[in-house]
Amino acid sequence: MSNTSLAPLPSSDRTDVTARLRDALLSASFSADGLLDLLGAPAYAALARSETVPALRATRGDSPLEALVRLFLLQQPVPHARVADVLPVEDCLEGGWLLRVGGDEVAAAVDVRPYGGPGGEDWFIVSDLGCAVGGAGGIGSHDEGVVLGVGGASTTLAGITVRAPAASALDLGTGSGIQALHVAQHATRVSATDLNPRALHITALTLALSGAPAADLREGSLFEPVAGETFDLIVSNPPFVISPGARLTYRDGGMGGDDLCRTLVQEAGERLNEGGYAQFLANWQHVEGEDWQDRLRSWVPRGCDAWIVQREVQDVTQYAELWLRDAGDHHADPVEYQARYDAWLDEFEAREVKAVGFGWITLRRSDAELPSVVLEEWPHSVEQPLGDTVRAHFERVDYLREHDDAALLEAHFTLVGEVVQEQVGLPGAEDPEHVVLRQHRGMRRATKVDTVGAGFAGVCDGTLSAGSILDAIAQLVGEDPVLLRDRTPAQIRLLVEQGFIEPAAR
């Protein structure tokens, strides 16, 4: 199916109309905070699940904000006269933001959704009607050119992205432009690419309506539109779904299995400047007889450190059902639904795929002689945003690579804030069975340590060197200090690597 069946989009050239529309929306408190105040938390949360009934009930009044919510979020026709009290309605009709319907009513041409930026900015995300928050479950979701708004994957990627100043940044597969909008806050030059020209048009609208600088928009697949260029930051929420065929452009990769994600990661290395980051969301296959970590390790390009976190694993039936529901196929004719389900399982069976993993992939161009490649499974809760946590991970990689065991013993460390100690053992026992250090920020890790490790971490305040602390512990427990110095650096290295202690500022 082609893009021609989708509704016409507002003009991206009428920046004067877009600026007036933005001013009018903000004047009416059409913002993330304004919506929460109007709708209340339950209706606001329901809207994020694409459930509109609570919001319809909450907007039965006649205030300007209620009119805008019905118009842009709920896609309800609103009387022309009522809209004219809030918006420059004739300009919006001429610019294509609104359409005349019925006798004296107007309707929105696109979904416009308030979105609060990390610094309190009032942004707006534009998307196709019925395809805003929570996935494409509504009108047009079977059209290959449909452009979705902000979903959980979008906000996850935005949260883990390193927000360091960048001269150049690339949002690959930009969709509605959410990543480009975030990146524009800390990058001098932003390029955004997409295979779908409709997505590029909507990205231009998102940026303009949010008051952000325009991006360099280019049509094409993967890195083809930016051939020969390099960047300080690359972000991508690609169409990573592993499916039979490429029926839906917004989610299906169009390559066999997880080849699109593999290709994206492998080709990113040569597109990064030294010290630059590439950050992706991805799916990967769990193939019979193959370790998923070995599979992902083979994707990492030469010259790059990597941190790969598997957040979730689904068996092939769960995975197929998730994405069949996403496209609304469960509402189709039962025979057609079964045929589609069979096609998914046939594809997985042919590839000997038993499950599919989902997670985050971060590359950092270091050109190190011995790159660091860390792969882990972490299905537990984390504290977003994690951008600073990601950057700190690679800073620790550099530190540990530059310090051998002797250097670690000479170094001074401090215990990271929000780390607590838990002792686990039988009631009444003289000594605990084991001691756990637990983080309450970032990745919220927990790690077991012995009594020496717990004692060491507890007195790390930057005053004494690691070796001096161990000498004092050896005297307290009656252990040979030389032997203690020999066996403890591995534990110190682990505590640094996982972010429980950090080098003291000197």
Side-chain angles (χ1 to χ4, degrees):
M1 194 180 295
S2 69
N3 295 347
T4 56
S5 65
L6 289 166
L9 293 172
S11 170
S12 59
D13 297 327
R14 292 296 307 273
T15 55
D16 56 330
V17 173
T18 305
R20 285 197 289 276
L21 174 57
R22 173 177 169 79
D23 289 343
L25 294 176
L26 293 177
S27 294
S29 297
F30 189 64
S31 63
D33 289 341
L35 286 185
L36 184 59
D37 289 342
L38 171 68
L39 301 178
Y44 188 83
L47 198 58
R49 301 191 299 269
S50 297
E51 294 290 348
T52 59
V53 172
L56 285 167
R57 292 174 60 85
T59 55
R60 291 177 290 190
D62 57 3
S63 72
L65 181 55
E66 286 168 290
L68 293 178
V69 171
R70 284 192 161 247
L71 187 66
F72 286 116
L73 271 66
L74 304 177
Q75 280 93 59
Q76 300 291 308
V78 178
H80 182 287
R82 188 176 175 195
V83 177
D85 290 338
V86 189
L87 301 178
V89 66
E90 296 304 323
D91 285 343
C92 290
L93 286 164
E94 181 184 346
W97 289 95
L98 300 177
L99 306 170
R100 295 185 187 275
V101 295
D104 63 347
E105 293 182 318
V106 295
V110 289
D111 187 292
V112 175
R113 191 138 314 221
Y115 180 84
E121 302 90 347
D122 287 315
W123 292 341
F124 300 98
I125 309 301
V126 180
S127 64
D128 275 312
L129 295 174
C131 298
V133 173
I139 301 168
S141 64
H142 284 82
D143 195 298
E144 71 174 45
V146 73
V147 179
L148 272 63
V150 179
S154 303
T155 55
T156 294
L157 179 59
I160 67 172
T161 299
V162 175
R163 299 297 173 194
S168 57
L170 170 65
D171 176 12
L172 191 152
T174 185
S176 60
I178 175 63
Q179 307 306 328
L181 182 56
H182 276 279
V183 169
Q185 309 308 302
H186 61 98
T188 304
R189 177 174 61 86
V190 178
S191 298
T193 68
D194 206 290
L195 188 62
N196 182 4
R198 187 176 182 86
L200 297 175
H201 190 134
I202 284 182
T203 290
L205 297 175
T206 290
L207 293 172
L209 193 59
S210 298
D216 177 13
L217 305 175
R218 304 191 199 181
E219 182 181 346
S221 177
L222 297 175
F223 291 103
E224 291 172 3
V226 292
E229 298 181 46
T230 57
F231 302 89
D232 298 320
L233 175 65
I234 299 170
V235 292
S236 183
N237 177 18
F240 52 67
V241 176
I242 300 169
S243 64
R247 187 161 60 107
L248 301 175
T249 304
Y250 69 84
R251 68 167 206 193
D252 299 331
M255 296 184 182
D258 52 16
D259 282 355
L260 182 134
C261 291
R262 175 185 56 80
T263 301
L264 181 60
V265 174
Q266 287 180 336
E267 293 184 357
E270 62 184 10
R271 306 294 181 187
L272 285 175
N273 295 324
E274 184 178 356
Y277 290 90
Q279 299 186 262
F280 315 104
L281 301 185
N283 276 178
W284 44 80
Q285 298 173 150
H286 283 227
V287 178
E288 197 69 43
E290 178 187 63
D291 188 309
W292 73 269
Q293 294 196 2
D294 291 339
R295 184 179 192 84
L296 271 292
R297 192 174 283 108
S298 72
W299 292 9
V300 178
R302 178 175 298 182
C304 288
D305 298 320
W307 184 20
I308 300 173
V309 181
Q310 180 166 270
R311 295 286 289 158
E312 184 179 1
V313 180
Q314 291 183 315
D315 68 47
V316 292
T317 59
Q318 292 174 310
Y319 188 80
E321 290 162 14
L322 169 67
W323 294 109
L324 287 167
R325 286 195 303 270
D326 171 79
D329 289 324
H330 59 308
H331 296 309
D333 176 84
V335 175
E336 183 180 348
Y337 175 77
Q338 182 176 336
R340 290 195 186 280
Y341 200 149
D342 270 333
W344 283 71
L345 297 185
D346 285 345
E347 179 82 4
F348 288 132
E349 186 176 320
R351 295 180 176 277
E352 299 184 309
V353 176
K354 58 183 180 179
V356 177
F358 167 81
W360 319 325
I361 298 176
T362 299
L363 307 177
R364 196 271 306 261
R365 183 68 184 262
S366 66
D367 292 320
E369 185 176 343
L370 294 174
S372 167
V373 178
V374 176
L375 301 100
E376 61 179 317
E377 189 159 8
W378 192 255
H380 313 293
S381 64
V382 299
E383 183 190 49
Q384 287 274 35
L386 280 169
D388 288 344
T389 299
V390 173
R391 178 166 53 177
H393 167 88
F394 289 96
E395 290 172 349
R396 294 194 298 270
V397 164
D398 287 340
Y399 178 85
L400 292 174
R401 192 155 44 203
E402 295 164 0
H403 290 72
D404 60 15
D405 287 354
L408 284 182
L409 292 174
E410 293 177 2
H412 295 240
F413 297 97
T414 57
L415 186 67
V416 173
E418 303 294 331
V419 172
V420 298
Q421 176 180 304
E422 301 172 358
Q423 296 188 170
V424 181
L426 294 174
E430 184 175 342
D431 297 312
E433 292 180 18
H434 58 261
V435 179
V436 175
L437 298 181
R438 188 179 301 278
Q439 301 168 348
H440 284 276
R441 306 296 299 272
M443 291 293 286
R444 294 177 172 164
R445 296 187 185 279
T447 189
K448 289 183 182 180
V449 291
D450 60 20
T451 53
V452 170
F456 176 85
V459 297
C460 279
D461 61 3
T463 304
L464 299 174
S465 70
S468 298
I469 293 174
L470 292 179
D471 290 344
I473 291 175
Q475 186 173 359
L476 282 174
V477 300
E479 187 168 341
D480 186 330
V482 175
L483 294 178
L484 191 60
R485 279 174 172 254
D486 284 345
R487 69 176 175 85
T488 306
Q491 194 166 187
I492 296 174
R493 194 170 290 275
L494 178 65
L495 291 174
V496 173
E497 180 183 309
Q498 296 193 347
F500 287 94
I501 61 174
E502 61 187 1
R506 299 192 60 78

